Every structure is written in structure tokens, then in C-alpha cells.
Amino acid sequence: MTRTQATGTEVAALEKALYDALTPLASAMRARETGLPEQRMWDADPVDVTLSILHCWKLVDETVERLTANAARTAGSYGASYEQMGAAWGMTRQGARKKWPGAISRPTAAEPEPSTVVLFGGFAELYWEPSLSGWRWTGQGADGTRGETDGSLSFDAKEEAAAHAGAFLKEHLVERP
């Protein structure tokens, strides 16, 4: 998407609006800082005066950054991509991702499906435990013994939970004469 550039007149109007918005803030902060009456608060060393102005511009810059991040999150919530946001800001997709991490929420993966392991005449159910962010199992051996993952233990991979369930089922098989 091609972005229209602001005209010189529009940029000049923006600068004037920003200066107009900055003046009351700078005056209020300078008055508090110096304790001088309003008509004398700018009577000081030019370095001090200009540093006061610089500090106010920093506040404006921080506010613009915060508002920009809000706009990026809003755009992301409506489906804009980092590529689109980068183009709007004049940077790459990677630059936009770095500038506004989390502006685009990734869809959460669906909870993994449970499955059943049938071995040695018994069975075990493998299931994902969201509170532990891991896999667990519960089952019954061929000899009727019930078992499950110990305590608050969970496994990173479904296959690991299946291996532990399989070991349990092997221990509880029924020997045939």
C-alpha cells in the first residue's frame, strides 16, 4: 500500500500545533521548577531555558511513542500484519516486529487431543494438562491395577507420557499359563 506524503503546508501546520501544545506544558513545568512568577520564569540562563524545553519535548516524544504503540496494537487487533505496519511507518516487517512486539496476537493453538494407548492387555489415556503445560496419563493394567502420572509431574512430549504409560502397562500384564 502506497502512503501519501504530507505537504509542506501540512507539516508546517503540524509543527505549529505541536509548539502550541508544548507552550502551556513548558510554562507550567518551568514555573514549578523555578518558583518564579509567570512573567519572569523564562528569565534565566539560556542553557537552562532550552534544557527545560528539551525536557518537555522528551515528554511529548514518550507520549507519541505510547500512542503509536497503542495504534499498532489496534491495527494488529483488526488484522494488520507487521509487514503492513512497517510499510505505514517506513520500515521493514522485522523492524515493525521489533518496535511493537506483541502488537499482533498469535492465535492460541488448540489444546492437543487426548489419545489412548492399548498394550499388554491394559490401556492408558494420554491427555494434555494445561495447568502444568505438559502431558500426563492415567490407565489400568490387564491385572486391574490403576495408575497415573505421579503427583505434579508432566511430560513435554506426548510420546514421553506414552512411554511411561507403556512401562506401567507392561508391569501390570496378566501372565497366561
Side-chain angles (χ1 to χ4, degrees):
M1 172 183 236
T2 305
R3 294 281 170 213
T4 306
Q5 297 298 315
T7 66
T9 303
E10 292 165 335
V11 170
L14 174 62
E15 286 178 3
K16 181 184 179 330
L18 288 172
Y19 278 116
D20 290 348
L22 182 75
T23 299
L25 173 65
S27 293
M29 290 179 69
R30 182 81 184 150
R32 281 195 311 275
E33 187 177 302
T34 63
L36 294 172
E38 195 169 320
Q39 59 272 28
R40 292 198 49 238
M41 67 185 163
W42 296 105
D43 295 342
D45 178 13
V47 171
D48 289 339
V49 170
T50 54
L51 289 174
S52 292
I53 298 291
L54 182 62
H55 178 68
C56 289
W57 280 119
K58 179 184 184 296
L59 295 174
V60 170
D61 185 56
E62 290 169 350
T63 302
V64 168
E65 280 291 318
R66 189 175 58 257
L67 294 174
T68 301
N70 287 342
R73 282 191 301 276
T74 301
S77 74
Y78 283 116
S81 68
Y82 277 118
E83 185 175 0
Q84 291 170 311
M85 285 187 258
W89 200 253
M91 64 172 54
T92 65
R93 172 184 56 83
Q94 294 89 344
R97 182 172 297 175
K98 185 176 179 182
K99 185 168 186 64
W100 303 300
I104 296 176
S105 58
R106 299 175 193 270
T108 18
E111 190 171 296
E113 291 292 320
S115 59
T116 304
V117 173
V118 179
L119 289 171
F120 309 109
F123 67 92
E125 295 290 326
L126 308 174
Y127 62 95
W128 177 257
E129 179 58 51
S131 64
L132 299 173
S133 297
W135 286 94
R136 294 178 53 89
W137 65 269
T138 184
Q140 181 174 330
D143 65 359
T145 304
R146 294 191 170 274
E148 64 184 355
T149 309
D150 293 331
S152 62
L153 179 66
S154 67
F155 303 100
D156 292 336
K158 187 184 221 180
E159 295 78 12
E160 190 178 3
H164 283 266
F168 166 81
L169 295 173
K170 185 176 182 179
E171 287 177 23
H172 297 280
L173 62 89
V174 174
E175 295 286 337
R176 297 195 183 184

